[in-house]
Amino acid sequence: MIEPSARVQALPGYPLAEIPSIKRRLIQAGVDVIDLGAGDNEAPPPAPVVEALREAVRDPALSKYGFQQGLLQFRQAVSRYLERRFGLRFDPVSETLPLIGSKEGLAHLPLAVADPGDVCIVPEPGYQAYLGGTLLAACEPHVVPLRQEQRFLLELDEVPPAVLSRAKVAFVNYPNNPTAAVAPRDYLERTVAACRRYGILLGYDNAYCDLTFGGYVAPSIFEIPGARDVAVEFFSLSKTFSMTGWRLGWAVGRPDLIAALTKVKSYVDTGPFLALQQAAVVALDRAEEFVAPIKATLQERRDACVDSLVGAGFPVRRPEAAMYLWVPLPPGVASLPFCRRALEEEGVAVLGGAAFGPAGEGYFRIALTAGPARLREAVTRLARALARVREEQLAPAS
Ligand code: PLP
């Protein structure tokens, strides 16, 4: 009999998987659905980037296979961006690699440096590609819970030394999805130090580095001395430029580590569409100009949504970065049933914290993907759903 492999069977269900079909059914039934589930800003990509793509698709040379090398101009634009943004120099050819979205690079990372049975350190709650890539490479995940009292920081010093000795990869992501936490410099220093001590590749996911508010500037891991020996950093055009569906990101790091990831990818894909890479040169070269309005929009949404949540009795923090609110639920309210009811009964899609792993229980995630008025409306509905859940909890069993 043909059955899914043990690796596939080990993968938990993908958290967003069922939202689209429930949403379709509700919309067909006339419900006004507010979808704050996926981290997919409804703003269009910058117009000059779209224009550049139009031009690029007319060039037959850009309809050919890109292979892993891709378009040199894209890699050079990546290098210019990294230098402008972080003051860091990377060789466009040997130290950068175009990705079909940063997700695939992250998911392929364990295959590049770890063997079956090796440990990969994975945050929980966390972006699903870390666990998925670990399990698909037949590696052993060591899951580290991110806790509010530790500012949601993945502390390698608290992982047992016996586990660290077997670890090949540690996935670290700040600004963080889903908690919206940011990493202080001393945290990054001790994380780099631990990776150097134990010879662990630090897979640093910086997908949200440009979505920051109120003067906070997110660093690159390579600003930390010694990081070049152990880190590969992942960047994405998805969130920064509202280009999620375009599927374009890049990895940067030590030439031999980039070469290992390149080798994996050369067997499973043939690189991102060259026309996209050409258009992305415009995005990267004018990043500051394009990102400013996206950040301003997100900050306005963050403030509207945090204010209404606090007003409705949800004790949520005002995050300094990313596009999410990580909202605590009252003790005893399970996140997945609550979110299911919020969708079915109130037409609001948000993600239950437990969808990001058991350590996410007790929270739900709001993606700031609608305007302030819709967010306020969503909070009113969420508060109604929560009030009903609590009334039922308090009602005496008949
Ligand atoms: N990393 C994090 C933390 C994310 O939340 C996401 C997407 O939601 C990604 C990486 C992947 O982004 P993409 O594959 O679109 O570049």
Side-chain angles (χ1 to χ4, degrees):
M1 198 155 71
I2 300 173
E3 286 189 339
S5 63
R7 295 175 195 198
V8 166
Q9 290 187 44
L11 295 171
Y14 205 79
L16 289 167
E18 58 171 9
I19 291 182
S21 63
I22 302 178
K23 188 176 155 184
R24 225 178 1 259
R25 167 165 58 73
L26 292 172
I27 289 172
Q28 273 165 6
V31 176
D32 168 30
V33 174
I34 307 177
D35 188 349
L36 310 175
D40 202 348
N41 196 346
E42 91 296 356
V49 182
V50 174
E51 221 21 69
L53 179 61
R54 265 183 210 282
E55 281 293 306
V57 289
R58 288 204 192 92
D59 179 352
L62 298 178
S63 280
K64 300 297 175 198
Y65 284 126
F67 297 105
Q68 301 310 320
Q69 198 179 359
L71 199 71
L72 181 61
Q73 293 94 312
F74 174 66
R75 289 170 179 250
Q76 288 167 332
V78 162
S79 290
R80 284 194 295 276
Y81 164 86
L82 294 171
E83 184 157 8
R84 247 180 22 250
R85 173 70 175 77
F86 303 107
L88 298 165
R89 284 189 169 206
F90 285 94
D91 176 53
V93 175
S94 63
E95 293 180 313
T96 65
L97 174 65
L99 299 172
I100 307 174
S102 59
K103 183 179 193 177
E104 66 90 352
L106 288 158
H108 284 134
L109 190 63
L111 281 176
V113 295
D115 289 306
D118 287 341
V119 168
C120 297
I121 296 172
V122 171
E124 187 182 287
Y127 186 52
Q128 297 78 13
Y130 317 140
L131 180 66
T134 299
L135 293 172
L136 289 172
C139 294
E140 185 186 308
H142 179 81
V143 172
V144 179
L146 305 186
R147 303 207 184 284
Q148 184 147 4
E149 53 280 16
Q150 289 175 314
R151 294 174 291 163
F152 298 112
L153 296 173
L154 188 165
E155 295 288 359
L156 289 177
D157 291 344
E158 290 174 15
V159 175
V163 175
L164 291 171
S165 311
R166 291 176 50 219
K168 288 289 168 60
V169 177
F171 288 103
V172 173
N173 162 229
Y174 298 99
N176 184 256
N177 173 17
T179 67
V182 298
R185 192 177 167 95
D186 62 322
Y187 165 78
L188 296 177
E189 284 168 354
R190 58 180 182 274
T191 303
V192 167
C195 287
R196 289 171 61 90
R197 202 173 321 126
Y198 286 95
I200 299 170
L201 191 161
L202 175 54
Y204 195 78
D205 179 357
N206 218 343
Y208 296 93
C209 66
D210 283 321
L211 302 183
T212 57
F213 315 121
Y216 173 72
V217 179
S220 158
I221 192 66
F222 293 114
E223 290 174 40
I224 306 302
R228 286 198 188 228
D229 293 338
V230 287
V232 171
E233 186 161 24
F234 293 84
F235 293 89
S236 170
L237 282 94
S238 291
K239 317 287 174 169
T240 311
F241 301 103
S242 252
M243 285 165 56
T244 47
W246 292 40
R247 312 310 304 132
L248 193 57
W250 73 88
V252 58
R254 220 170 77 186
D256 58 326
L257 300 176
I258 289 294
L261 187 56
T262 304
K263 193 164 181 183
V264 173
K265 279 171 56 58
S266 66
Y267 280 84
V268 293
D269 70 65
T270 315
F273 183 21
L274 290 172
L276 292 182
Q277 297 187 49
Q278 177 80 66
V281 172
V282 176
L284 291 174
D285 281 346
R286 294 172 60 182
E288 294 77 359
E289 174 196 338
F290 296 145
V291 173
I294 294 178
K295 273 166 58 156
T297 302
L298 279 175
Q299 184 163 342
E300 190 193 1
R301 292 174 180 184
R302 174 200 69 168
D303 289 339
C305 199
V306 168
D307 291 346
S308 353
L309 283 164
V310 170
F314 291 98
V316 69
R317 287 174 316 122
R318 197 177 301 267
E320 288 178 286
M323 55 192 302
Y324 306 109
L325 301 182
W326 186 239
V327 189
L329 279 164
V333 177
S335 62
L336 294 179
F338 167 70
C339 291
R340 182 75 190 222
R341 288 188 67 166
L343 182 55
E344 294 276 6
E345 297 171 13
E346 295 287 349
V348 179
V350 290
L351 286 187
F356 296 91
E361 188 51 279
Y363 294 82
F364 66 94
R365 189 192 80 174
I366 292 181
L368 298 170
T369 52
R374 294 291 277 169
L375 288 168
R376 285 193 203 97
E377 166 67 19
V379 171
T380 304
R381 298 191 202 175
L382 288 167
R384 227 163 30 212
L386 182 59
R388 270 199 305 275
V389 170
R390 301 197 79 188
E391 266 163 35
E392 285 172 16
Q393 281 180 335
L394 294 175
S398 51

